[in-house]
Amino acid sequence: MARTKAFDEDRAIDAAVDCFWTHGYEATSVRDLAQAMGIGGASLYNAYGDKRELFVLSLERYANRSMRERIARIEMRYPPRQAIAAFLGEIISRSANDPDCKGCLLVNSALDVASRDAGLGKAVASYLNEIRAFFGRSLEAGRRTGEIAGTIDSNVMSAHLLGVVLAVRVLARTGAKRSLLESVARPALDLIERPAKTRRPRKRSKIVN
Amino acid sequence: MARTKAFDEDRAIDAAVDCFWTHGYEATSVRDLAQAMGIGGASLYNAYGDKRELFVLSLERYANRSMRERIARIEMRYPPRQAIAAFLGEIISRSANDPDCKGCLLVNSALDVASRDAGLGKAVASYLNEIRAFFGRSLEAGRRTGEIAGTIDSNVMSAHLLGVVLAVRVLARTGAKRSLLESVARPALDLIERPAKTRRPRKRSKIVN
DNA sequence: GTTATTCTGTAGCAGATGTTCCAGAATCGT
DNA sequence: ACGATTCTGGAACATCTGCTACAGAATAAC
């Protein structure tokens, strides 16, 4: 027994994600948001309560549609070691073909807003930890199948791989070339290749796109 | 034949650095700056011209007093491979004992402002490249002295090491624990240890503080 | 001491910020 | 058709933004 909303909430959130992603939290005004979402300011406050609450929703939406989707898709499609390479390769490709230098919303937020808002900081850290957990799972699975050397500590290496992701996304935001991004990742990929017991020609893992 | 400035320009710039460092470019207002610097708004504009110009000066000041000082000091004091370990160790220590989660002004700026201002973006990228150059020099020198394996490509590895620095500083800003930061760096440090030609017990390089 | 020049505090500008208020429009159950 | 309830556009709020105008204070050369 009430008037129905005249806008698609999902599309609206996607527009909000895009705003925050491109310009950051502080530099995105509520009016920018409302215009991009195609609604008035009153509707925004009625539907989402607050700029900050809308940002929290946007983070969650981004995590679901971008990060978690990627992890699930890759984890399903590739065996463990290739999954790691595919993940890094995809991040690098995304970052290299990123004319607006948007980078990753989660990483951007980590530096932009997480330090000033403890709650958001915890949320961001938790999202980043999901990436680390993916690497951890893949490393353990790879060790079981023998794709990955048993000498590798998956707790340590998963943190290192998360670090590679962060570094790539930071450099991408400064407009770095693809070759630099690949150099950042290359040694980490080499590390998780099964080291030959007997000397044989080093085969470099192709970065999957 | 004119009135002298009533404030210490160096101290004032340091205060500005601190503001930008803690709160970022956008979230630091000219009034915040003026108050922290202990001067009036008019003096600020008279002496530095602009908020953006003051930021450029602050970046340079920070680079000189923090990054370049560290590089010069470490490069002078340690042999190549230890210099790399010492640099990473110092970054980690700084980041672990950073109650305000300030991180690194250059890295913060890379995400905060570099994407919206091409000029600042180039400046930040250039500063970051100085870190990479330091790693490159150290790797080459280490190869000459035999501390570092000749199989290591210093162009690739220097980018990777820069990546570790970036990752540590990003994670530090989200309040990560020291153990996580050390995990991020550990595999990179292991990589630049001279690999034994004959099997012998792996010795881990201590992270120099 | 005069004078030219530079500095400094205060006040103010126009515009943007996050948020709220309110009258009216649209919907649903009855 | 009615009433209760929810949504919507626009105007308005107080505050903040970067920046400037201006009058006066402090200096250094003469």
Side-chain angles (χ1 to χ4, degrees):
Chain A
M1 38 153 133
R3 181 174 175 175
T4 46
K5 284 202 181 74
F7 62 96
D8 181 335
E9 297 201 50
D10 276 354
R11 285 187 188 280
I13 276 275
D14 282 336
V17 167
D18 213 62
C19 279
F20 286 129
W21 197 356
T22 308
H23 306 108
Y25 180 79
E26 302 282 349
T28 301
S29 76
V30 175
R31 282 165 185 79
D32 292 340
L33 286 166
Q35 183 170 11
M37 298 164 81
I39 64 180
S43 297
L44 192 156
Y45 277 88
N46 176 53
Y48 304 101
D50 211 342
K51 183 185 177 186
R52 188 182 178 281
E53 281 185 50
L54 177 55
F55 183 71
V56 172
L57 286 174
S58 298
L59 273 186
E60 179 70 12
R61 173 88 171 175
Y62 177 89
N64 280 328
R65 306 269 288 193
S66 183
M67 180 192 74
R68 289 176 184 144
E69 180 278 328
R70 174 174 297 130
I71 289 176
R73 173 168 43 80
I74 287 180
E75 208 160 19
M76 178 166 301
R77 205 162 300 182
Y78 296 97
R81 195 179 53 81
Q82 284 178 42
I84 294 173
F87 189 96
L88 291 183
E90 202 171 305
I91 297 287
I92 289 174
S93 274
R94 281 288 173 126
S95 301
N97 313 327
D98 180 7
D100 302 332
C101 297
K102 287 159 72 175
C104 166
L105 176 59
L106 298 175
V107 180
N108 299 352
S109 303
L111 267 63
D112 181 27
V113 94
S115 61
R116 247 165 301 154
D117 186 315
L120 292 179
K122 276 206 160 189
V124 169
S126 159
Y127 288 129
L128 296 184
N129 196 52
E130 289 186 39
I131 300 178
R132 181 171 181 256
F134 156 71
F135 286 131
R137 280 196 305 276
S138 299
L139 289 168
E140 300 260 4
R143 196 163 48 154
R144 263 180 265 118
T145 68
E147 293 173 71
I148 288 171
T151 55
I152 288 182
D153 182 330
S154 67
N155 278 319
V156 171
M157 185 58 71
S158 63
H160 183 70
L161 290 167
L162 169 61
V164 169
V165 172
L166 298 180
V168 166
R169 305 235 91 148
V170 169
L171 286 171
R173 193 127 166 112
T174 72
K177 288 185 197 149
R178 184 188 188 108
S179 60
L180 179 61
L181 306 183
E182 284 175 345
S183 291
V184 171
R186 169 94 281 136
L189 288 173
D190 287 347
L191 262 177
I192 60 174
E193 299 226 318
R194 184 158 188 76
K197 297 205 171 156
T198 59
R199 259 263 176 269
R200 63 179 158 157
R202 205 62 171 309
K203 220 196 315 177
R204 292 186 136 196
S205 77
K206 183 97 176 296
I207 292 188
V208 183
N209 184 359
Chain B
M1 41 160 131
R3 177 173 177 177
T4 44
K5 285 202 181 74
F7 63 96
D8 181 334
E9 298 202 46
D10 276 354
R11 285 188 187 279
I13 276 275
D14 283 336
V17 167
D18 212 63
C19 278
F20 287 129
W21 196 355
T22 307
H23 307 107
Y25 180 78
E26 302 282 350
T28 302
S29 75
V30 176
R31 282 165 184 79
D32 292 340
L33 287 167
Q35 182 169 12
M37 299 163 82
I39 64 180
S43 297
L44 190 155
Y45 278 88
N46 175 53
Y48 304 101
D50 210 343
K51 183 185 175 184
R52 188 183 179 281
E53 280 186 51
L54 177 56
F55 183 70
V56 172
L57 285 175
S58 299
L59 273 186
E60 179 72 11
R61 173 90 171 172
Y62 177 88
N64 280 329
R65 305 270 289 194
S66 183
M67 181 192 73
R68 288 176 185 144
E69 182 277 328
R70 175 174 297 131
I71 288 175
R73 172 169 43 80
I74 286 179
E75 208 161 19
M76 177 166 302
R77 204 161 301 183
Y78 295 99
R81 194 178 53 79
Q82 284 177 42
I84 293 173
F87 190 96
L88 291 183
E90 202 170 307
I91 297 287
I92 289 174
S93 273
R94 281 286 173 128
S95 301
N97 313 327
D98 180 8
D100 302 333
C101 298
K102 287 160 71 175
C104 166
L105 176 59
L106 298 174
V107 180
N108 299 352
S109 303
L111 268 63
D112 182 27
V113 96
S115 60
R116 249 166 300 156
D117 186 316
L120 293 178
K122 277 205 161 189
V124 169
S126 160
Y127 288 128
L128 295 184
N129 195 53
E130 289 186 40
I131 300 177
R132 182 172 180 254
F134 156 70
F135 285 131
R137 279 196 307 275
S138 299
L139 289 167
E140 299 260 2
R143 197 163 47 153
R144 264 181 265 120
T145 68
E147 295 172 67
I148 288 172
T151 55
I152 287 182
D153 181 332
S154 66
N155 279 319
V156 171
M157 186 58 72
S158 64
H160 183 71
L161 289 168
L162 169 61
V164 169
V165 172
L166 298 179
V168 167
R169 304 234 93 148
V170 170
L171 286 171
R173 193 122 164 115
T174 71
K177 289 187 197 147
R178 182 184 190 109
S179 59
L180 178 62
L181 307 183
E182 284 176 345
S183 292
V184 170
R186 163 70 32 219
L189 288 172
D190 287 346
L191 262 177
I192 61 174
E193 299 225 318
R194 183 160 189 75
K197 298 205 171 159
T198 61
R199 261 262 176 270
R200 63 179 158 156
R202 206 57 171 314
K203 219 198 310 178
R204 292 187 136 194
S205 77
K206 183 97 176 295
I207 291 186
V208 183
N209 184 358

PDB file of all heavy atoms in Angstrom, chain B residues 20 25 30 33 45 48-58 117-121, chain D residues 18-19:
ATOM      1  N   PHE B  20      49.162  16.297   4.784  1.00  0.00           N
ATOM      2  CA  PHE B  20      48.875  15.524   3.568  1.00  0.00           C
ATOM      3  C   PHE B  20      49.082  14.037   3.819  1.00  0.00           C
ATOM      4  O   PHE B  20      48.320  13.199   3.328  1.00  0.00           O
ATOM      5  CB  PHE B  20      49.771  15.999   2.428  1.00  0.00           C
ATOM      6  CG  PHE B  20      49.399  17.328   1.852  1.00  0.00           C
ATOM      7  CD1 PHE B  20      50.346  18.336   1.693  1.00  0.00           C
ATOM      8  CD2 PHE B  20      48.090  17.593   1.448  1.00  0.00           C
ATOM      9  CE1 PHE B  20      50.005  19.567   1.149  1.00  0.00           C
ATOM     10  CE2 PHE B  20      47.738  18.815   0.907  1.00  0.00           C
ATOM     11  CZ  PHE B  20      48.704  19.806   0.755  1.00  0.00           C
ATOM     12  N   TYR B  25      45.339  14.312   0.170  1.00  0.00           N
ATOM     13  CA  TYR B  25      45.274  15.629  -0.467  1.00  0.00           C
ATOM     14  C   TYR B  25      43.882  16.252  -0.355  1.00  0.00           C
ATOM     15  O   TYR B  25      43.722  17.361   0.151  1.00  0.00           O
ATOM     16  CB  TYR B  25      45.679  15.510  -1.935  1.00  0.00           C
ATOM     17  CG  TYR B  25      45.646  16.822  -2.690  1.00  0.00           C
ATOM     18  CD1 TYR B  25      46.672  17.736  -2.549  1.00  0.00           C
ATOM     19  CD2 TYR B  25      44.591  17.138  -3.518  1.00  0.00           C
ATOM     20  CE1 TYR B  25      46.649  18.944  -3.216  1.00  0.00           C
ATOM     21  CE2 TYR B  25      44.558  18.345  -4.206  1.00  0.00           C
ATOM     22  CZ  TYR B  25      45.593  19.239  -4.055  1.00  0.00           C
ATOM     23  OH  TYR B  25      45.557  20.436  -4.718  1.00  0.00           O
ATOM     24  N   VAL B  30      42.770  23.853   3.186  1.00  0.00           N
ATOM     25  CA  VAL B  30      43.763  24.917   3.307  1.00  0.00           C
ATOM     26  C   VAL B  30      43.787  25.465   4.732  1.00  0.00           C
ATOM     27  O   VAL B  30      44.844  25.821   5.254  1.00  0.00           O
ATOM     28  CB  VAL B  30      43.459  26.042   2.299  1.00  0.00           C
ATOM     29  CG1 VAL B  30      44.426  27.200   2.488  1.00  0.00           C
ATOM     30  CG2 VAL B  30      43.557  25.503   0.877  1.00  0.00           C
ATOM     31  N   LEU B  33      45.792  23.125   6.849  1.00  0.00           N
ATOM     32  CA  LEU B  33      47.202  23.347   6.558  1.00  0.00           C
ATOM     33  C   LEU B  33      47.715  24.580   7.281  1.00  0.00           C
ATOM     34  O   LEU B  33      48.729  24.538   7.986  1.00  0.00           O
ATOM     35  CB  LEU B  33      47.401  23.507   5.045  1.00  0.00           C
ATOM     36  CG  LEU B  33      47.273  22.232   4.215  1.00  0.00           C
ATOM     37  CD1 LEU B  33      47.164  22.561   2.737  1.00  0.00           C
ATOM     38  CD2 LEU B  33      48.465  21.313   4.456  1.00  0.00           C
ATOM     39  N   TYR B  45      49.222  31.467   0.932  1.00  0.00           N
ATOM     40  CA  TYR B  45      49.123  31.730  -0.508  1.00  0.00           C
ATOM     41  C   TYR B  45      50.249  32.625  -0.986  1.00  0.00           C
ATOM     42  O   TYR B  45      50.738  32.494  -2.106  1.00  0.00           O
ATOM     43  CB  TYR B  45      47.753  32.322  -0.841  1.00  0.00           C
ATOM     44  CG  TYR B  45      46.700  31.259  -0.966  1.00  0.00           C
ATOM     45  CD1 TYR B  45      45.983  30.825   0.138  1.00  0.00           C
ATOM     46  CD2 TYR B  45      46.437  30.658  -2.194  1.00  0.00           C
ATOM     47  CE1 TYR B  45      45.031  29.829   0.028  1.00  0.00           C
ATOM     48  CE2 TYR B  45      45.495  29.660  -2.310  1.00  0.00           C
ATOM     49  CZ  TYR B  45      44.794  29.252  -1.197  1.00  0.00           C
ATOM     50  OH  TYR B  45      43.865  28.254  -1.312  1.00  0.00           O
ATOM     51  N   TYR B  48      53.468  30.121  -0.911  1.00  0.00           N
ATOM     52  CA  TYR B  48      53.492  28.877  -1.682  1.00  0.00           C
ATOM     53  C   TYR B  48      52.592  28.901  -2.910  1.00  0.00           C
ATOM     54  O   TYR B  48      52.645  27.986  -3.722  1.00  0.00           O
ATOM     55  CB  TYR B  48      53.114  27.699  -0.786  1.00  0.00           C
ATOM     56  CG  TYR B  48      53.988  27.583   0.429  1.00  0.00           C
ATOM     57  CD1 TYR B  48      53.556  28.037   1.665  1.00  0.00           C
ATOM     58  CD2 TYR B  48      55.265  27.057   0.335  1.00  0.00           C
ATOM     59  CE1 TYR B  48      54.364  27.948   2.790  1.00  0.00           C
ATOM     60  CE2 TYR B  48      56.088  26.961   1.447  1.00  0.00           C
ATOM     61  CZ  TYR B  48      55.626  27.411   2.670  1.00  0.00           C
ATOM     62  OH  TYR B  48      56.440  27.325   3.772  1.00  0.00           O
ATOM     63  N   GLY B  49      51.785  29.917  -3.023  1.00  0.00           N
ATOM     64  CA  GLY B  49      51.036  30.119  -4.252  1.00  0.00           C
ATOM     65  C   GLY B  49      49.710  29.408  -4.324  1.00  0.00           C
ATOM     66  O   GLY B  49      48.731  29.959  -4.801  1.00  0.00           O
ATOM     67  N   ASP B  50      49.677  28.158  -3.822  1.00  0.00           N
ATOM     68  CA  ASP B  50      48.530  27.346  -4.176  1.00  0.00           C
ATOM     69  C   ASP B  50      48.509  26.101  -3.301  1.00  0.00           C
ATOM     70  O   ASP B  50      49.553  25.654  -2.841  1.00  0.00           O
ATOM     71  CB  ASP B  50      48.690  26.912  -5.626  1.00  0.00           C
ATOM     72  CG  ASP B  50      47.369  26.731  -6.305  1.00  0.00           C
ATOM     73  OD1 ASP B  50      46.373  26.631  -5.591  1.00  0.00           O
ATOM     74  OD2 ASP B  50      47.345  26.706  -7.543  1.00  0.00           O
ATOM     75  N   LYS B  51      47.358  25.506  -3.129  1.00  0.00           N
ATOM     76  CA  LYS B  51      47.315  24.246  -2.396  1.00  0.00           C
ATOM     77  C   LYS B  51      48.092  23.171  -3.162  1.00  0.00           C
ATOM     78  O   LYS B  51      48.879  22.422  -2.590  1.00  0.00           O
ATOM     79  CB  LYS B  51      45.868  23.792  -2.195  1.00  0.00           C
ATOM     80  CG  LYS B  51      45.741  22.524  -1.379  1.00  0.00           C
ATOM     81  CD  LYS B  51      44.297  22.046  -1.319  1.00  0.00           C
ATOM     82  CE  LYS B  51      44.214  20.706  -0.595  1.00  0.00           C
ATOM     83  NZ  LYS B  51      42.842  20.153  -0.582  1.00  0.00           N
ATOM     84  N   ARG B  52      47.866  23.142  -4.474  1.00  0.00           N
ATOM     85  CA  ARG B  52      48.530  22.133  -5.294  1.00  0.00           C
ATOM     86  C   ARG B  52      50.045  22.324  -5.295  1.00  0.00           C
ATOM     87  O   ARG B  52      50.813  21.377  -5.168  1.00  0.00           O
ATOM     88  CB  ARG B  52      47.988  22.184  -6.723  1.00  0.00           C
ATOM     89  CG  ARG B  52      48.473  21.047  -7.606  1.00  0.00           C
ATOM     90  CD  ARG B  52      47.944  21.231  -9.010  1.00  0.00           C
ATOM     91  NE  ARG B  52      48.396  20.181  -9.916  1.00  0.00           N
ATOM     92  CZ  ARG B  52      49.584  20.131 -10.480  1.00  0.00           C
ATOM     93  NH1 ARG B  52      50.475  21.068 -10.208  1.00  0.00           N
ATOM     94  NH2 ARG B  52      49.908  19.150 -11.290  1.00  0.00           N
ATOM     95  N   GLU B  53      50.485  23.569  -5.424  1.00  0.00           N
ATOM     96  CA  GLU B  53      51.932  23.834  -5.409  1.00  0.00           C
ATOM     97  C   GLU B  53      52.538  23.419  -4.076  1.00  0.00           C
ATOM     98  O   GLU B  53      53.641  22.860  -4.014  1.00  0.00           O
ATOM     99  CB  GLU B  53      52.202  25.318  -5.665  1.00  0.00           C
ATOM    100  CG  GLU B  53      52.140  25.700  -7.142  1.00  0.00           C
ATOM    101  CD  GLU B  53      52.556  27.158  -7.347  1.00  0.00           C
ATOM    102  OE1 GLU B  53      53.624  27.547  -6.843  1.00  0.00           O
ATOM    103  OE2 GLU B  53      51.792  27.915  -7.997  1.00  0.00           O
ATOM    104  N   LEU B  54      51.800  23.723  -3.001  1.00  0.00           N
ATOM    105  CA  LEU B  54      52.281  23.323  -1.678  1.00  0.00           C
ATOM    106  C   LEU B  54      52.378  21.811  -1.593  1.00  0.00           C
ATOM    107  O   LEU B  54      53.312  21.258  -0.984  1.00  0.00           O
ATOM    108  CB  LEU B  54      51.337  23.860  -0.596  1.00  0.00           C
ATOM    109  CG  LEU B  54      51.652  23.475   0.840  1.00  0.00           C
ATOM    110  CD1 LEU B  54      53.060  23.890   1.225  1.00  0.00           C
ATOM    111  CD2 LEU B  54      50.647  24.103   1.798  1.00  0.00           C
ATOM    112  N   PHE B  55      51.445  21.137  -2.233  1.00  0.00           N
ATOM    113  CA  PHE B  55      51.481  19.669  -2.231  1.00  0.00           C
ATOM    114  C   PHE B  55      52.699  19.162  -2.995  1.00  0.00           C
ATOM    115  O   PHE B  55      53.382  18.238  -2.545  1.00  0.00           O
ATOM    116  CB  PHE B  55      50.192  19.117  -2.846  1.00  0.00           C
ATOM    117  CG  PHE B  55      50.110  17.623  -2.829  1.00  0.00           C
ATOM    118  CD1 PHE B  55      49.933  16.943  -1.634  1.00  0.00           C
ATOM    119  CD2 PHE B  55      50.209  16.905  -4.006  1.00  0.00           C
ATOM    120  CE1 PHE B  55      49.860  15.564  -1.606  1.00  0.00           C
ATOM    121  CE2 PHE B  55      50.127  15.521  -3.989  1.00  0.00           C
ATOM    122  CZ  PHE B  55      49.951  14.848  -2.792  1.00  0.00           C
ATOM    123  N   VAL B  56      52.969  19.777  -4.138  1.00  0.00           N
ATOM    124  CA  VAL B  56      54.157  19.378  -4.908  1.00  0.00           C
ATOM    125  C   VAL B  56      55.420  19.555  -4.067  1.00  0.00           C
ATOM    126  O   VAL B  56      56.283  18.671  -4.007  1.00  0.00           O
ATOM    127  CB  VAL B  56      54.249  20.205  -6.205  1.00  0.00           C
ATOM    128  CG1 VAL B  56      55.574  19.944  -6.903  1.00  0.00           C
ATOM    129  CG2 VAL B  56      53.088  19.871  -7.133  1.00  0.00           C
ATOM    130  N   LEU B  57      55.508  20.692  -3.390  1.00  0.00           N
ATOM    131  CA  LEU B  57      56.657  20.925  -2.523  1.00  0.00           C
ATOM    132  C   LEU B  57      56.712  19.895  -1.398  1.00  0.00           C
ATOM    133  O   LEU B  57      57.794  19.417  -1.024  1.00  0.00           O
ATOM    134  CB  LEU B  57      56.588  22.334  -1.926  1.00  0.00           C
ATOM    135  CG  LEU B  57      56.930  23.483  -2.875  1.00  0.00           C
ATOM    136  CD1 LEU B  57      56.704  24.823  -2.195  1.00  0.00           C
ATOM    137  CD2 LEU B  57      58.377  23.368  -3.347  1.00  0.00           C
ATOM    138  N   SER B  58      55.549  19.558  -0.868  1.00  0.00           N
ATOM    139  CA  SER B  58      55.515  18.583   0.219  1.00  0.00           C
ATOM    140  C   SER B  58      55.992  17.222  -0.265  1.00  0.00           C
ATOM    141  O   SER B  58      56.726  16.517   0.442  1.00  0.00           O
ATOM    142  CB  SER B  58      54.095  18.478   0.783  1.00  0.00           C
ATOM    143  OG  SER B  58      53.673  19.718   1.310  1.00  0.00           O
ATOM    144  N   ASP B 117      45.173  13.833 -11.597  1.00  0.00           N
ATOM    145  CA  ASP B 117      46.048  14.926 -11.997  1.00  0.00           C
ATOM    146  C   ASP B 117      47.272  14.326 -12.684  1.00  0.00           C
ATOM    147  O   ASP B 117      48.161  13.769 -12.039  1.00  0.00           O
ATOM    148  CB  ASP B 117      46.459  15.724 -10.754  1.00  0.00           C
ATOM    149  CG  ASP B 117      47.265  16.967 -11.092  1.00  0.00           C
ATOM    150  OD1 ASP B 117      48.174  16.874 -11.942  1.00  0.00           O
ATOM    151  OD2 ASP B 117      46.979  18.029 -10.510  1.00  0.00           O
ATOM    152  N   ALA B 118      47.308  14.438 -13.990  1.00  0.00           N
ATOM    153  CA  ALA B 118      48.355  13.761 -14.763  1.00  0.00           C
ATOM    154  C   ALA B 118      49.743  14.217 -14.325  1.00  0.00           C
ATOM    155  O   ALA B 118      50.661  13.400 -14.215  1.00  0.00           O
ATOM    156  CB  ALA B 118      48.152  14.030 -16.254  1.00  0.00           C
ATOM    157  N   GLY B 119      49.889  15.498 -14.048  1.00  0.00           N
ATOM    158  CA  GLY B 119      51.191  16.005 -13.640  1.00  0.00           C
ATOM    159  C   GLY B 119      51.660  15.368 -12.354  1.00  0.00           C
ATOM    160  O   GLY B 119      52.789  14.861 -12.259  1.00  0.00           O
ATOM    161  N   LEU B 120      50.801  15.357 -11.351  1.00  0.00           N
ATOM    162  CA  LEU B 120      51.160  14.725 -10.095  1.00  0.00           C
ATOM    163  C   LEU B 120      51.393  13.231 -10.285  1.00  0.00           C
ATOM    164  O   LEU B 120      52.294  12.657  -9.664  1.00  0.00           O
ATOM    165  CB  LEU B 120      50.047  14.957  -9.061  1.00  0.00           C
ATOM    166  CG  LEU B 120      49.859  16.399  -8.604  1.00  0.00           C
ATOM    167  CD1 LEU B 120      48.706  16.515  -7.619  1.00  0.00           C
ATOM    168  CD2 LEU B 120      51.135  16.935  -7.988  1.00  0.00           C
ATOM    169  N   GLY B 121      50.604  12.619 -11.156  1.00  0.00           N
ATOM    170  CA  GLY B 121      50.794  11.201 -11.406  1.00  0.00           C
ATOM    171  C   GLY B 121      52.192  10.906 -11.919  1.00  0.00           C
ATOM    172  O   GLY B 121      52.849   9.967 -11.455  1.00  0.00           O
TER     173      GLY B 121
ATOM    174  P    DG D  18      40.387  23.208   0.606  1.00  0.00           P
ATOM    175  OP1  DG D  18      41.267  22.026   0.499  1.00  0.00           O
ATOM    176  OP2  DG D  18      40.417  24.060   1.808  1.00  0.00           O
ATOM    177  O5'  DG D  18      40.622  24.154  -0.655  1.00  0.00           O
ATOM    178  C5'  DG D  18      40.358  23.682  -1.960  1.00  0.00           C
ATOM    179  C4'  DG D  18      40.334  24.872  -2.914  1.00  0.00           C
ATOM    180  O4'  DG D  18      39.312  25.803  -2.470  1.00  0.00           O
ATOM    181  C3'  DG D  18      41.638  25.667  -2.959  1.00  0.00           C
ATOM    182  O3'  DG D  18      41.914  26.056  -4.306  1.00  0.00           O
ATOM    183  C2'  DG D  18      41.351  26.879  -2.070  1.00  0.00           C
ATOM    184  C1'  DG D  18      39.862  27.087  -2.289  1.00  0.00           C
ATOM    185  N9   DG D  18      39.208  27.706  -1.127  1.00  0.00           N
ATOM    186  C8   DG D  18      39.319  27.332   0.185  1.00  0.00           C
ATOM    187  N7   DG D  18      38.617  28.073   0.989  1.00  0.00           N
ATOM    188  C5   DG D  18      38.010  29.000   0.169  1.00  0.00           C
ATOM    189  C6   DG D  18      37.129  30.059   0.477  1.00  0.00           C
ATOM    190  O6   DG D  18      36.699  30.414   1.577  1.00  0.00           O
ATOM    191  N1   DG D  18      36.739  30.771  -0.658  1.00  0.00           N
ATOM    192  C2   DG D  18      37.152  30.469  -1.938  1.00  0.00           C
ATOM    193  N2   DG D  18      36.685  31.259  -2.914  1.00  0.00           N
ATOM    194  N3   DG D  18      37.970  29.480  -2.243  1.00  0.00           N
ATOM    195  C4   DG D  18      38.364  28.786  -1.143  1.00  0.00           C
ATOM    196  P    DC D  19      43.317  26.874  -4.584  1.00  0.00           P
ATOM    197  OP1  DC D  19      43.677  26.705  -6.004  1.00  0.00           O
ATOM    198  OP2  DC D  19      44.274  26.524  -3.530  1.00  0.00           O
ATOM    199  O5'  DC D  19      42.849  28.387  -4.393  1.00  0.00           O
ATOM    200  C5'  DC D  19      41.750  28.863  -5.155  1.00  0.00           C
ATOM    201  C4'  DC D  19      41.379  30.269  -4.723  1.00  0.00           C
ATOM    202  O4'  DC D  19      40.832  30.251  -3.397  1.00  0.00           O
ATOM    203  C3'  DC D  19      42.541  31.265  -4.665  1.00  0.00           C
ATOM    204  O3'  DC D  19      42.381  32.184  -5.747  1.00  0.00           O
ATOM    205  C2'  DC D  19      42.386  31.970  -3.324  1.00  0.00           C
ATOM    206  C1'  DC D  19      40.999  31.541  -2.866  1.00  0.00           C
ATOM    207  N1   DC D  19      40.816  31.464  -1.391  1.00  0.00           N
ATOM    208  C2   DC D  19      39.929  32.332  -0.767  1.00  0.00           C
ATOM    209  O2   DC D  19      39.314  33.163  -1.460  1.00  0.00           O
ATOM    210  N3   DC D  19      39.763  32.272   0.576  1.00  0.00           N
ATOM    211  C4   DC D  19      40.446  31.362   1.285  1.00  0.00           C
ATOM    212  N4   DC D  19      40.242  31.329   2.608  1.00  0.00           N
ATOM    213  C5   DC D  19      41.357  30.456   0.667  1.00  0.00           C
ATOM    214  C6   DC D  19      41.518  30.535  -0.665  1.00  0.00           C
TER     215       DC D  19
END
